[in-house]
Amino acid sequence: DPIDGYWIVVAVIFVLKPEFGVTVGRSFLRVTGTLAGVAAATFFLASIQPGPVVLAVLTVVVSAFAFTLFNTNYGVFAVFLTCLTVFLAAFLGLPPMTAVLNRATDNLIGSGLTVVAFLVWPTWVATQVPRLVSLCLLAEGRLGQRVLAAFTYPAQGSDEDFDQLISAARLSRSNAEAAVERMTHEPHGADKGSLALSAAEGMLAQMHRFGMASLGLLNHVRGDGA
């Protein structure tokens, strides 16, 4: 059967992501969506037994729903994609039950392989958190130092310089916060990084307060300058 095994590769490509939490979540949605789609397609084919014309129409309608929902809800997308695959295979002459079994088996295997592959060759975001938190600390520190210097000597520093420092601090803080958020979804156990999650969250919270204080002081300096 030329279709058998094809969806294993497709499932791995669609499910495997750099972050462990996203990979596991998409694997779960892929499996549950596939099983729901298999159940719906099986019930429909067994009860109605549609002919080629009806199968062609169903294929077009289901494909429209599938690709519309791709960026909205991956689990619902998997339901419609499964129905699309089964209807298309049945339309091309493959026995419907064979298409159903192939689709379910291949996606279960593919989703399982993605989780195993991530555990064997992990890319833990926790290993990047210390570097990103350090960059955030440096960026916030540069902004704070410049603001304090301007507070002492109001004539120093242009608005453009301050805008660049503010943008750099915001970007570094956003990157660090996103990494720490992904870190919360990684499994506990082996030490994957040199910075504990609680410490990283605490440091980011303090840097956020420091950044807000710097901006408040900068607004005061600019107000005095005006």
Side-chain angles (χ1 to χ4, degrees), residues 17-19 30 35 52 72 95 108 119 127 132 138 140 149 172 191 202 219:
K17 298 296 178 183
E19 298 85 14
R30 184 87 180 190
L35 294 178
T72 303
L108 289 173
L119 293 175
T127 60
L132 294 174
L138 291 173
E140 294 286 4
S172 62
D191 184 15
N219 289 332

Side-chain angles (χ1 to χ4, degrees), residues 29-115:
L29 292 175
R30 184 87 180 190
V31 171
T32 54
T34 296
L35 294 178
V38 163
T42 301
F43 174 79
F44 189 87
L45 292 176
S47 59
I48 300 179
Q49 298 181 350
V53 175
V54 177
L55 283 173
V57 173
L58 286 173
T59 300
V60 174
V61 173
V62 172
S63 62
F65 277 100
F67 294 106
T68 300
L69 294 167
F70 178 70
N71 292 320
T72 303
N73 189 308
Y74 188 74
V76 179
F77 161 76
V79 174
F80 283 101
L81 184 62
T82 299
C83 294
L84 170 62
T85 304
V86 174
F87 292 154
L88 183 59
F91 177 77
L92 295 176
L94 185 68
M97 291 302 101
T98 302
V100 167
L101 291 175
N102 285 348
R103 172 71 180 175
T105 303
D106 291 356
N107 275 279
L108 289 173
I109 295 174
S111 298
L113 285 176
T114 58
V115 177

Side-chain angles (χ1 to χ4, degrees), residues 92-170:
L92 295 176
L94 185 68
M97 291 302 101
T98 302
V100 167
L101 291 175
N102 285 348
R103 172 71 180 175
T105 303
D106 291 356
N107 275 279
L108 289 173
I109 295 174
S111 298
L113 285 176
T114 58
V115 177
V116 172
F118 201 103
L119 293 175
V120 175
W121 299 287
T123 55
W124 305 120
V125 72
T127 60
Q128 300 297 321
V129 166
R131 179 181 64 85
L132 294 174
V133 171
S134 298
L135 292 175
C136 180
L137 179 61
L138 291 173
E140 294 286 4
R142 285 191 291 268
L143 174 61
Q145 289 177 348
R146 182 63 64 88
V147 170
L148 290 176
F151 185 78
T152 305
Y153 304 100
Q156 291 187 356
S158 64
D159 289 343
E160 183 178 355
D161 292 337
F162 282 122
D163 290 340
Q164 290 178 352
L165 290 172
I166 292 172
S167 297
R170 286 176 175 171

